[in-house]
Amino acid sequence: MKIRTLLVLALSLGFLLFFGLEASGQELPKARLPILTTSAGQSPDVTTVNIILEEAGIGYDYCDVPTVEVLASGVGLGDRESGAGFHAEVHSDLAKFPKGTPFKTVILAIGASLKGMGASGLTVEAEEARLKKLLDYCQAQKIFTIGVHIGGESKRGAAGSDNERMIDTVAPYVNYLIVTKDGNKDGRFSQIAKKKNIPLTEVDYALDVVEIFKKVFE
């Protein structure tokens, strides 16, 4: 709740600056609705991503630990309800996208939290395996994937650390990357994007992503 309040307050004060691919003359990729958001590492950063979508006026469904079966259920997440170690929310426009409509985009918020994984009954290894299956399914079904790393330097670490393992698992296999400059000081995301030919948008602040999402999903 505190994170949500601070983000909305910052937006209302107008501290929104837009940088990235389009600012440098490069075209932003386009993605389609409906959207599923999820966490890659179970950090609270996915809450920030959800708030950003809300501020951009974009509907979405959210599940913290979706399996391939949950993703395949489409909009409404098969009417699954939140419970211990599982959280689901439906915010898609059901008038436009009735329950069961296949998701066209999956947004993964990259950032590890041992506390978050523990609450979901996951180890780092189990989270890596879940994410790999999810990304493999998205590739097979031609579902557009966006990796978002907006936790900055606090969601980085030494090679082999939990945060870096989440980056290794997700970043090289998505269709589009959005990262903050603070989280890309060593150029790691830039290197991954160049090697894998993945479009990359780098922003100063997480809230800059509001305008990016508006353009990506217009």
Side-chain angles (χ1 to χ4, degrees), residues 43-172:
S43 80
D45 290 346
V46 69
T47 300
T48 305
V49 169
N50 291 343
I51 293 169
I52 287 168
L53 284 167
E54 291 169 10
E55 292 299 324
I58 299 169
Y60 64 93
D61 284 6
Y62 161 68
C63 182
D64 53 352
V65 288
T67 60
V68 167
E69 291 74 22
V70 172
L71 176 56
S73 298
V75 171
L77 304 172
D79 290 325
R80 291 173 173 84
E81 297 182 357
S82 298
F86 181 86
H87 192 74
E89 298 177 11
V90 177
H91 301 289
S92 294
D93 185 342
L94 297 180
K96 291 182 178 178
F97 306 104
K99 290 183 178 181
T101 302
F103 290 111
K104 297 298 184 182
T105 302
V106 173
I107 301 176
L108 303 102
I110 306 169
S113 166
L114 288 178
K115 180 179 179 180
M117 282 187 271
S120 297
L122 293 167
T123 62
V124 175
E125 291 76 16
E127 179 72 337
E128 288 173 321
R130 182 186 70 83
L131 291 166
K132 184 180 185 304
K133 290 178 182 178
L134 208 65
L135 288 164
D136 285 347
Y137 178 83
C138 288
Q139 184 177 21
Q141 299 298 317
K142 295 182 170 51
I143 298 172
F144 194 81
T145 51
I146 303 175
V148 181
H149 187 279
I150 51 177
E153 199 168 5
S154 68
K155 288 297 181 288
R156 294 296 311 277
S161 66
D162 298 338
N163 281 313
E164 298 304 306
R165 287 172 68 174
M166 291 303 111
I167 294 170
D168 290 338
T169 302
V170 174

Side-chain angles (χ1 to χ4, degrees), residues 195-215:
K195 181 178 180 180
K196 295 291 186 175
N197 196 29
I198 300 169
L200 169 69
T201 297
E202 189 178 71
V203 299
D204 284 335
Y205 306 106
L207 295 178
D208 297 341
V209 183
V210 172
E211 292 301 315
I212 292 170
F213 277 165
K214 285 181 180 179
K215 295 178 183 297

Side-chain angles (χ1 to χ4, degrees), residues 166-205:
M166 291 303 111
I167 294 170
D168 290 338
T169 302
V170 174
Y173 305 104
V174 295
N175 300 115
Y176 178 36
L177 282 167
I178 302 172
V179 304
T180 58
K181 291 181 179 178
D182 191 43
N184 193 34
K185 287 181 178 179
D186 59 356
R188 180 149 193 250
F189 287 103
S190 300
Q191 293 166 10
I192 291 171
K194 183 177 181 180
K195 181 178 180 180
K196 295 291 186 175
N197 196 29
I198 300 169
L200 169 69
T201 297
E202 189 178 71
V203 299
D204 284 335
Y205 306 106

